């Protein structure tokens, strides 16, 4: 595996063979065992390359929920460190979920790391400016951030009214006072 370490959740239906149990168990750690996972020949018929690989399963207790079964190839760290690593990984996943939901980045315009960073920073700045606008100038705007963004797109180069009231309707031509500029007065000879 080229020296790469991983920590991930074990699927509930994963087949595992317990090799041995490690004695050191922490506060919220229910079990720490060495396991081998998978079938020798899964449904596809090909041989499983991880069949004989020894991995580590750490079972973490959670209040009012099922215990969390973590699997890793890191055999040297303590079980609590493995649980903390997964917790940090989960925070990163939540951050990326927030980015997907709030910044609406559909596609990246460049493939380099710098191009992706610039696009994410630009989207973050736009999001912060929209929130700042919403919390200061547009405080009395009734809709949420999405409705405010739509109104900003429509009225980008016009004066922006946040009162959500329609402007006064124009009067029909019959009820308007006559316009002097349009009236033609002929001088008498």
């Amino acid at each position: 595996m080229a020296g790469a370490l991983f920590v991930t959740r074990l699927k509930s239906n994963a087949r595992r063979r317990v090799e041995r149990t490690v004695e050191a168990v922490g506060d919220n750690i229910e079990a720490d065992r060495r396991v081998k996972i998978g079938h020798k020949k899964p449904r596809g018929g090909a041989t499983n390359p991880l069949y004989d690989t020894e991995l580590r399963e750490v079972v973490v207790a959670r209040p009012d929920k099922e215990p969390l079964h973590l699997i890793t190839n890191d055999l040297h760290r303590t079980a609590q460190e493995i649980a903390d690593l997964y917790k940090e990984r989960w925070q990163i996943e939540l951050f990326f979920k927030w980015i997907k939901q709030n910044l609406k980045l559909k596609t990246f315009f460049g493939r380099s790391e710098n191009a992706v960073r610039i696009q994410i920073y630009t989207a973050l700045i736009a999001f912060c400016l929209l929130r700042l606008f919403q919390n200061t100038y547009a405080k009395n705007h009734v809709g949420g951030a999405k409705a405010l963004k739509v109104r900003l797109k429509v009225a980008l180069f016009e004066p922006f009214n946040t009162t959500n009231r329609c402007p006064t309707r124009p009067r029909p031509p019959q009820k308007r006072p006559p316009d002097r500029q349009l009236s033609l007065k002929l001088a008498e000879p």
Side-chain angles (χ1 to χ4, degrees):
M1 275 211 195
L5 299 175
F6 66 87
V7 177
T8 188
R9 275 177 96 160
L10 190 63
K11 290 177 68 174
S12 60
N13 64 349
R15 183 179 185 277
R16 59 186 173 268
R17 304 173 313 279
V18 177
E19 296 292 315
R20 61 189 162 115
T21 303
V22 180
E23 291 298 321
V25 178
D27 307 344
N28 60 342
I29 307 297
E30 289 183 3
D32 185 6
R33 346 173 218 238
R34 303 291 167 95
V35 297
K36 292 183 178 177
I37 60 171
H39 296 275
K40 187 166 188 152
K41 290 200 177 238
R43 291 183 197 173
T47 305
N48 182 1
L50 294 176
Y51 181 74
D52 287 327
T53 305
E54 186 176 70
L55 299 173
R56 184 175 177 191
E57 179 187 17
V58 177
V59 182
V60 181
R62 297 187 298 174
D64 302 330
K65 291 183 182 177
E66 289 287 319
L68 192 62
H69 293 264
L70 303 177
I71 195 91
T72 181
N73 62 346
D74 189 352
L75 305 176
H76 303 293
R77 295 190 187 185
T78 66
Q80 189 62 48
E81 287 177 332
I82 299 294
D84 292 341
L85 279 174
Y86 184 77
K87 190 174 183 179
E88 288 175 18
R89 176 181 174 260
W90 187 249
Q91 293 299 320
I92 293 169
E93 286 188 24
L94 289 177
F95 174 67
F96 280 105
K97 180 181 177 184
W98 179 87
I99 285 177
K100 284 174 67 176
Q101 288 177 345
N102 293 303
L103 300 185
K104 304 295 183 195
L105 293 170
K106 301 289 183 194
T107 57
F108 288 107
F109 297 116
R111 293 178 183 235
S112 69
E113 180 182 346
N114 193 33
V116 172
R117 283 178 186 244
I118 288 172
Q119 190 170 350
I120 291 174
Y121 288 149
T122 305
L124 278 170
I125 290 169
F127 179 81
C128 289
L129 286 173
L130 181 67
R131 288 298 170 152
L132 188 65
F133 180 71
Q134 185 180 15
N135 292 334
T136 55
Y137 182 72
K139 234 179 191 174
N140 56 355
H141 187 264
V142 177
K146 188 174 182 180
L148 184 63
K149 188 168 70 171
V150 168
R151 290 201 48 209
L152 278 172
K153 282 181 183 179
V154 171
L156 191 59
F157 295 109
E158 298 173 2
F160 190 74
N161 183 8
T162 59
T163 59
N164 283 343
R165 286 190 226 126
C166 294
T168 58
R169 288 183 172 180
R171 288 189 274 170
Q174 308 88 305
K175 295 186 178 180
R176 291 186 199 155
D179 191 4
R180 290 185 206 171
Q181 187 176 359
L182 297 177
S183 62
L184 181 63
K185 288 199 175 190
L186 297 173
E188 293 184 27

